[in-house]
Amino acid sequence: MSYQLWVGPAIFVATLALVVARPRGLPEWLSATCGGTAMLAARILTPQQAAQVLLRNWNVFGFFLGLMVIAAVAESAGFFDALARMAARGARGSSRRLLLNVMLIGAIITTFLTNDATALILTPLVYALVIRLRLPALPYMFACTFIADTASFVLPVSNPINVLVLTAFPHTLPDYLRHLLLPALLVIALNVAAFAFLFRDDLSDRFDPDLMGADAKAGEMGFLRFVVASLAGIAVAYVAGAALGWKLSIVALAGALWLLVGAAVTRELRQPAARALPR
């Protein structure tokens, strides 16, 4: 028993350190896999116990997998890049309006594609955009970070943790919305007002939209339109699934499969770097 009390936490801390530090670009999934394998090798867990945990939480793991694939295909299609550009065009040269647009887009992405998509995918694109527009990056980075948190309670799919909690403590969608929708919207509004006030000096300048550079090529727009339409369908399916009590992992995995098939048919799936904003 004493052996497990110190070896288990040591493996956990070492795994967490690898995930955070990413030595030599080590992927997070590989660090986590090594940590799990070490737990089994050290006999902290038996293979049977590990299998039971996986089977008991299959809905959460399936949702994570589907979500990552959906976000990856959307990023490859230039979806997040297009949204960042849309925010800049809609601002019409106003840095203050650009901040509001970024927070609105971040709230929508977080609501239907989870806060991870906003924090990990949208934020770097917004950073590249505002640097190219010669604007101070700090207000927009704060906006992306905080909106990813505050909008993560709007729907059950807005945060993977919501799915984990609702798996353990099931609630209907009306119950969820009755308790959390209004507070989430209120906090989003407070964030918008707070950042507009705190960064009022940084948001007084105007920018030249022509600094964004060229949009996506015409040949790429077909796949982007397919992805946008698919994401809209997935968003509707998420809400319907939550309302009808479906396992959200099924919706996420079905959406991911649909996008992968579409990418294979159109042969448009590329490395995200090829779609990023020009430097």
Side-chain angles (χ1 to χ4, degrees), residues 115-166:
N115 56 343
D116 292 326
T118 298
L120 300 178
I121 301 176
L122 181 66
T123 302
L125 287 172
V126 169
Y127 176 80
L129 175 67
V130 296
I131 292 299
R132 188 167 183 82
L133 295 176
R134 300 171 186 170
L135 294 172
L138 194 60
Y140 304 95
M141 297 301 95
F142 267 101
C144 289
T145 301
F146 275 77
I147 204 66
D149 288 331
T150 54
S152 66
F153 293 101
V154 175
L155 288 177
V157 298
S158 303
N159 190 334
I161 300 300
N162 297 348
V163 178
L164 181 63
V165 172
L166 291 176

Side-chain angles (χ1 to χ4, degrees), residues 10-22:
I11 294 175
F12 172 78
V13 171
T15 303
L16 186 60
L18 288 175
V19 169
V20 173
R22 297 190 64 193

Side-chain angles (χ1 to χ4, degrees), residues 183-197:
L185 295 177
L186 178 60
V187 173
I188 290 172
L190 289 174
N191 269 251
V192 172
F195 287 125
F197 175 77

Side-chain angles (χ1 to χ4, degrees), residues 223-242:
F223 183 51
L224 177 58
R225 292 191 189 98
F226 164 76
V227 169
V228 170
S230 299
L231 291 176
I234 292 170
V236 172
Y238 273 147
V239 177

